[in-house]
Amino acid sequence: MKHISQESIDKAIGVIDELNDNDLETVFETYAGEQAILLEYAMTAPTEYQNEQLEGLLVYYFCLICECFKQEGLRPKAITEDQIEAHQTPYFDMLDAYFENDDEEVIDSYVDQPQLSKFMAIEVSTEDDDGTSLSDETASQLFIVCLSMVALLNKAIPEE
């Protein structure tokens, strides 16, 4: 399986962060069209967690994660409801094991995108350039949902 490099992550950040609101909306609509079910799945989190702050964050990271795959030249197939259903139990079992032992290898073996997993861990745990940081609760929720998106997209990459 091909891994997303730090270089591709950096390029994706450069692309997404340089977009104005109209261009970001266009990129969002493109990725939403390609991964409608994945987006719908991710966007249930703000309601489930009762955390409105997640909504904007998830839109941004959905675009960024999709752009990371694009920058690496990876084209995951559209995620299906069946894939999400099959993913949920093993994913939450993996998270339980991770939070129980704080063992990042558990995440890396399941998600299989170590650079992107590490990037997300850093993103949710560090202050922005303007000094703002996420609450522990929001950071954990964002991390869980984003890792889930990465794992699903990674498993949807066609075999070469």
Side-chain angles (χ1 to χ4, degrees):
M1 184 61 61
K2 187 169 182 182
H3 289 140
I4 294 171
S5 66
Q6 186 61 51
E7 180 182 351
S8 291
I9 294 168
D10 293 341
K11 284 181 185 175
I13 292 167
V15 167
I16 299 299
D17 285 358
E18 293 300 315
L19 297 174
N20 63 37
D21 288 347
N22 288 340
D23 291 340
L24 183 59
E25 189 173 327
T26 301
V27 168
F28 172 73
E29 288 171 3
T30 299
Y31 288 135
E34 292 173 4
Q35 293 294 346
I37 293 171
L38 177 64
L39 178 61
E40 187 178 305
Y41 165 68
M43 295 312 287
T44 63
T47 303
E48 280 184 35
Y49 289 125
Q50 298 178 340
N51 184 343
E52 290 179 22
Q53 185 183 9
L54 275 179
E55 194 168 319
L57 292 165
L58 286 172
V59 166
Y60 172 81
Y61 284 104
F62 171 77
C63 291
L64 184 62
I65 289 166
C66 289
E67 187 66 28
C68 286
F69 279 83
K70 179 182 175 184
Q71 290 296 326
E72 194 63 49
L74 302 174
R75 295 279 179 212
K77 294 179 184 173
I79 304 301
T80 65
E81 299 269 353
D82 290 342
Q83 288 171 304
I84 290 171
E85 191 65 36
H87 159 82
Q88 298 233 38
T89 300
Y91 180 68
F92 285 107
D93 289 346
M94 178 276 301
L95 283 176
D96 288 344
Y98 166 72
F99 285 119
E100 196 172 292
N101 302 312
D102 203 27
D103 182 1
E104 290 177 19
E105 287 181 24
V106 172
I107 289 175
D108 289 342
S109 67
Y110 185 87
V111 176
D112 197 27
Q113 284 295 346
Q115 291 297 322
L116 202 44
S117 297
K118 186 172 108 183
F119 166 75
M120 284 309 308
I122 293 167
E123 276 291 290
V124 301
S125 63
T126 57
E127 288 184 350
D128 283 345
D129 293 338
D130 64 4
T132 58
S133 60
L134 300 173
S135 69
D136 289 345
E137 187 174 286
T138 298
S140 293
Q141 294 163 353
L142 182 62
F143 184 68
I144 288 166
V145 177
C146 288
L147 271 190
S148 186
M149 286 192 286
V150 171
L152 283 160
L153 287 168
N154 193 54
K155 289 181 174 143
I157 297 170
E159 296 292 324
E160 293 179 12

